[in-house]
Amino acid sequence: MTTTHLMTARPLDTGPADRAADVHCASVTKTFADGTAALHEVDLYCPPRAITVLLGPSGCGKTTLLRCIAGLETPTSGSIHLGGHDVTHADPRSRGVAMVFQNYGLYPNKTAYGNIEYPLRMAGVPKRERRERVARVSELLRIDHLLERRPAQLSGGQRQRVGIGRALVREPAVLLMDEPLSSLDAELRVSMRNEIRALQRKLGTTMVYVTHDQTEALGLADQLVVLRDGRIEQSGDPEDVYGAPATTFVAGFLGAMNLLDAQPLGMPPGTVGIRPEDLLPGEAPGALTLRGPVVDTDLTGTERIVHFRCGQQTVRMRVRASDPVPAEITTHAPTDRIHQFDLENNRIELQP
Ligand code: ATP
């Protein structure tokens, strides 16, 4: 590490006043030694005090980008800036970032207290201050009664709280989370997700959160970034991305939109996108009507997804679980619920 990096890097444990660093990845490319190209000229700005969610399918480069921000990987080209400082080549420990991993990464032989305290010990924080900071964080995460237990004596949710505690105790300028909830059961995931959001709001920490789960992404994000094959496919306010997907890839990934060949529907060549919940029963004047035999149904709880054949394609429609399912479906999509994409799979903005 050079002197410049030491000078520009944010020191560890700089305290709450610094918990608002923004993150800027400028044209970041990462090619691994074996030739795998994981990221291609990614430009990403994560505003301070907000949650940026990186969403995309397995292998799209989410973790690699997070690791570049953390300093666990060095970009092949491009630069990483935290709070306005170029940290591209700075030591991970000097960046003021903390990372929470999918598998918690706890030391099995240390107690919850020992695990949370560990980064402060490494940073040479005096014992009394360590004790105070661990107490503060464990109270915040409601694990103060579990501090003497080892990871094996904790539930999945409690372990994850300890993992988050270990990250938070450093009072990082940026908190990075890599699928932190994926090993928890569905119910716990939802409550932990709400807790993480509440915690972030309370502390005002800048957060970059990786997931392949669209529900989690929509529920958490202030800024949603959809990655595909190492490139940003679309980013923005989650409602805007959901409401107006820029490509068929985003439309299919977020909300499982039906993507239909436009020509059999009598429309210009390209793709027509309709969400399963935007298909309404029966016909309506001026609306696009789809009809065909039911081929399958999936009960999801209070709702049911009905699959019906429409020409060569299968269409999914969401109905109430209590509604009877006919053998043949007639349905329509209101004009303002239809998304259109050109032959390059890019969104066509329709005039209002
Ligand atoms: P997942 O959701 O499955 O974790 P991801 O979107 O986080 O996926 P990455 O882990 O960032 O994806 O991987 C991106 C690409 O880089 C993949 O093709 C992966 O196989 C490859 N990759 C990751 N780490 C390495 C490595 N150390 N050496 C070579 N290739 C790697």
Side-chain angles (χ1 to χ4, degrees), residues 337-350:
R337 292 305 169 109
I338 293 177
H339 305 256
Q340 283 189 50
F341 301 92
D342 63 19
L343 287 170
E344 274 77 51
N345 295 320
N346 294 315
R347 181 179 191 81
I348 303 170
E349 277 309 336
L350 302 173

Side-chain angles (χ1 to χ4, degrees), residues 32-34 36-38 56-65 73 178-179 210 212:
F32 286 105
D34 67 356
T36 306
S58 184
C60 70
K62 307 179 293 290
T63 299
T64 304
L65 186 54
E73 301 286 356
D178 191 1
E179 308 238 9
V210 159
H212 63 265

